[in-house]
């Protein structure tokens, strides 16, 4: 198990650092400022210096990856974690690194990519997948809907995660459909409102449901 953890940690960290290779290859063609953030209308609203974008961002992702894997693999209740969700969380940060950083570099040299569309598409698919596997995760301290009431009672955890799974699937489908109808700046703000509203409901509904279950059991 220790060897497996070390191998996973090393492999995923190296994947996080892969964009550095692309950055070095493109370095002479890159502008001094690299776009790293887009607003609701799909317009670039924040930049990062070339050295930081090429070298700093992959290192940042690598550090986040190390922290997340150490937390997941040292959970006292890790045996209850959904195996698929565990794999997904382990590979999520490396996937973001090899997708998002190259997109920023390509956009900086003039290649047209609708970054908000791509990101929302990926997030919607991620939500649907999470919703499918969320009910299969049992009580643990790192993966799932970790509330005082779900961690206190296994039945509350299981019921809340079934409801949360439905919320994530429905929310993911809504985001996926709304993203397909995104037509550019004219609908960018509306799409942003839909995204925020959907995510807020996805978070609040399981929390409220869990609290209601807890209060009902206390009465």
């Amino acid at each position: 198990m220790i060897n497996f953890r070390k191998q996973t940690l090393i492999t995923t960290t190296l994947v996080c650092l892969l964009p550095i290779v692309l950055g070095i290859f493109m370095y002479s063609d890159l502008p001094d400022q690299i776009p790293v953030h887009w607003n609701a209308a799909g317009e670039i609203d924040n930049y990062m210096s070339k050295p930081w974008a090429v070298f700093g961002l992959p290192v940042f992702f690598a550090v986040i990856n190390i922290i997340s894997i150490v937390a997941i693999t040292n959970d006292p209740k890790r045996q209850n974690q959904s195996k698929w969700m565990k794999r997904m969380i382990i590979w999520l940060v490396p996937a973001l690194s090899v997708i998002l950083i190259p997109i920023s570099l390509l956009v900086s040299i003039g290649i047209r990519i609708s970054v908000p569309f791509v990101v929302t598409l990926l997030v919607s698919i991620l939500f649907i997948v999470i919703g499918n596997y969320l009910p299969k995760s049992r009580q643990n301290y790192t993966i799932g809907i970790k509330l005082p009431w779900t961690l206190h009672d296994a039945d509350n955890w299981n019921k809340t995660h079934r409801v949360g799974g439905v919320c994530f699937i429905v929310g993911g489908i809504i985001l996926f459909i709304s993203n397909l109808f995104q037509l550019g700046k004219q609908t960018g703000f509306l799409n942003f409102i839909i995204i925020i509203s959907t995510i807020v409901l996805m978070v609040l509904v399981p929390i409220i449901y869990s609290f209601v279950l807890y209060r009902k059991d206390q009465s």
Side-chain angles (χ1 to χ4, degrees):
M1 179 61 70
I2 294 178
N3 290 335
F4 173 77
R5 291 181 190 175
K6 287 183 178 179
Q7 182 180 1
T8 301
L9 186 63
I10 292 171
T11 302
T12 53
T13 301
L14 289 176
V15 172
C16 288
L17 298 174
L18 274 179
I20 292 178
V21 178
L22 177 63
I24 292 174
F25 179 77
M26 298 175 59
Y27 202 84
S28 61
D29 297 321
L30 294 174
D32 292 333
Q33 296 294 314
I34 308 295
V36 292
H37 192 270
W38 285 255
N39 61 24
E43 301 167 333
I44 301 169
D45 62 0
N46 197 13
Y47 293 83
M48 183 176 287
S49 67
K50 180 164 61 174
W52 274 106
V54 172
F55 301 103
L57 276 181
V59 171
F60 172 77
F61 276 101
V63 171
I64 298 299
N65 174 69
I66 293 171
I67 294 173
S68 64
I69 290 183
V70 169
I72 291 171
T73 56
N74 287 278
D75 187 335
K77 293 187 177 183
R78 57 184 176 274
Q79 70 277 4
N80 291 340
Q81 296 169 344
S82 165
K83 292 182 179 179
W84 199 97
M85 290 241 343
K86 184 176 180 179
R87 292 193 200 102
M88 184 184 65
I89 297 298
I90 286 174
W91 285 100
L92 178 60
V93 176
L96 291 175
S97 180
V98 298
I99 293 173
L100 299 182
I101 297 176
I103 286 178
S104 291
L105 299 181
L106 293 174
V107 170
S108 72
I109 61 174
I111 296 178
R112 299 193 61 175
I113 301 175
S114 178
V115 177
F117 178 86
V118 173
V119 171
T120 304
L121 184 65
L122 293 175
V123 169
S124 65
I125 295 174
L126 180 64
F127 282 163
I128 294 172
V129 174
I130 289 176
N132 184 54
Y133 287 95
L134 197 60
K136 301 176 183 178
S137 182
R138 298 296 175 251
Q139 271 186 325
N140 67 93
Y141 298 112
T142 51
I143 300 176
I145 304 172
K146 301 178 294 297
L147 302 169
W149 318 295
T150 56
L151 293 174
H152 173 72
D153 180 61
D155 187 57
N156 189 303
W157 174 285
N158 294 333
K159 290 180 179 179
T160 299
H161 279 69
R162 283 197 290 270
V163 171
V166 173
C167 290
F168 269 73
I169 291 174
V170 173
I173 293 173
I174 291 173
L175 294 185
F176 185 87
I177 294 175
S178 68
N179 197 45
L180 292 180
F181 287 96
Q182 180 180 331
L183 302 177
K185 298 179 181 179
Q186 294 79 7
T187 59
F189 183 73
L190 176 60
N191 196 57
F192 175 75
I193 295 298
I194 293 175
I195 292 172
I196 297 300
S197 301
T198 301
I199 293 177
V200 168
L201 287 175
M202 285 168 52
V203 173
L204 284 182
V205 170
I207 291 176
I208 295 173
Y209 177 77
S210 177
F211 179 72
V212 170
L213 280 181
Y214 170 75
R215 294 294 297 175
K216 184 177 180 181
D217 290 339
Q218 296 300 307
S219 60

